[in-house]
Amino acid sequence: MSKPATATKTLPTNAALALKSLGERLRIARERRGESLRAWAVRLDVSVPTLQRMEGGDPTVGMGVYATAIWLCGRHEALANVMEPAADAEAQEIEVMRASRRRK
């Protein structure tokens, strides 16, 4: 049995809010498709309680469950683009600062 991650206990507020929003949006997507909790859980290969926790934004639900739900909604390309390097402004700023230090 794997050890539970402690990161879920120290989840930043903004990250927790984003997961809650994602869960709510996945619930809306399921409902708009006319899928019951039970039918969607079967398609995700999880229990109904796990699906309910995911729809509530529970950070202890595995990322694979979230990813599969996103895939079921046909939005897996959006998931792949979440950490697009070109959109990482903070990393770009760090690279510029490092480059400017090397010139000195």
Side-chain angles (χ1 to χ4, degrees):
M1 189 162 158
S2 63
K3 180 181 170 188
T6 57
T8 59
K9 295 176 184 167
T10 58
L11 192 66
T13 301
N14 288 343
L17 291 172
L19 271 180
K20 185 164 180 55
S21 178
L22 175 60
E24 290 170 358
R25 290 174 180 185
L26 287 168
R27 178 190 51 77
I28 291 167
R30 174 184 59 77
E31 290 174 347
R32 289 177 70 195
R33 286 165 173 74
E35 294 272 358
S36 67
L37 280 167
R38 185 176 178 86
W40 203 249
V42 167
R43 294 184 71 193
L44 288 170
D45 196 25
V46 298
S47 66
V48 169
T50 296
L51 174 55
Q52 289 173 316
R53 289 184 12 250
M54 181 198 71
E55 289 183 351
D58 186 334
T60 65
V61 174
M63 179 142 182
V65 178
Y66 283 98
T68 302
I70 291 167
W71 173 80
L72 283 174
C73 296
R75 298 294 315 276
H76 53 281
E77 290 175 8
L79 181 60
N81 292 325
V82 167
M83 286 304 301
E84 176 64 40
D88 189 350
E90 184 178 345
Q92 289 175 354
E93 187 176 313
I94 291 168
E95 288 173 346
V96 168
M97 288 173 52
R98 286 180 184 155
S100 67
R101 281 190 224 138
R102 283 192 290 253
R103 285 191 208 137
K104 293 181 183 182

